Every structure is written in C-alpha cells, then in structure tokens.
Amino acid sequence: MFFGKERFMEWKIEKHQIRYEEDGKVLAEITFPYYKAEEKVYEFDHTFVDPSLRGQGIAGTLVEKAIAEVRAQDGKILPTCPYVKEWFARHKEEEGILYREH
C-alpha cells in the first residue's frame, strides 16, 4: 500500500541501512547492523522519519524493506527500536523471522 509521496521515493539500500534523502538530507531511514554476524542476526536499532513525511506509512515501509533484505540473507531480526517492536506486535504474521535467545 502506498500513500502520498511514498510511491515516488527512491530508496537507498545498503548493507545495514535503508534511507531516503532529498538534497543530501536524510528524511527517512532504518538501520540494522549485525547483532550476531555468525548467526546472521540483525538488530533493528533505529528508525527515523522526518516530521514532514510522518503519517504516510513510510516507517512501516522501511521495516518491510529491511525485513526483505534480512530474508534474502536467511537471517533473523532482533528488534530493539521502539517503533520496530511495536510494528512486530501489530504484525504477528512476521514473528517467524524474529531471533530468540537460546
């Protein structure tokens, strides 16, 4: 589902970050560094959406894009960012990708 400006956004996808920039300024991003590289566990530790873009579903899109990147690596996710924790609480169908400490 796309809202407003989101359908025209060009996302920059890097190894542990997805972001959107305008004129060199980051307006939306999610970071997911390794928590345990040897086990392919990524920590979703930071999500940001500039106030000018809030309310358009962009943060959720960032989470979904990052999940897709982790899935492509057969990885797992440890959510530590409050927004990401809340997102997973609302999307129980995605719980299978979450990392569980043994």
Side-chain angles (χ1 to χ4, degrees):
M1 178 176 349
F2 290 107
F3 299 94
K5 184 174 186 140
E6 182 184 350
R7 77 179 78 193
F8 304 108
M9 297 176 88
E10 184 177 322
W11 298 99
K12 292 188 178 187
I13 301 173
E14 297 178 350
K15 189 172 183 179
H16 297 280
Q17 179 186 57
I18 299 172
R19 69 183 183 280
Y20 170 71
E21 297 177 355
E22 280 185 10
D23 300 322
K25 180 181 178 187
V26 175
L27 296 181
E29 74 176 340
I30 186 168
T31 57
F32 46 104
Y34 278 128
Y35 174 70
K36 291 186 176 184
E38 66 281 357
E39 295 180 42
K40 296 182 186 174
V41 178
Y42 297 82
E43 179 182 6
F44 280 36
D45 64 347
H46 171 73
T47 305
F48 166 75
V49 177
D50 188 81
S52 67
L53 297 177
R54 292 185 184 156
Q56 300 181 51
I58 292 170
T61 297
L62 283 168
V63 173
E64 291 167 2
K65 287 183 176 300
I67 288 171
E69 292 296 311
V70 170
R71 265 205 184 99
Q73 302 300 318
D74 294 320
K76 292 287 186 180
I77 296 167
L78 175 67
T80 58
C81 166
Y83 176 81
V84 176
K85 287 180 178 181
E86 178 185 314
W87 188 94
F88 274 104
R90 290 189 324 265
H91 295 87
K92 301 288 187 192
E93 70 279 6
E94 296 289 357
E95 285 185 340
I97 199 164
L98 294 177
Y99 173 73
R100 306 281 186 216
E101 294 277 355
H102 303 291

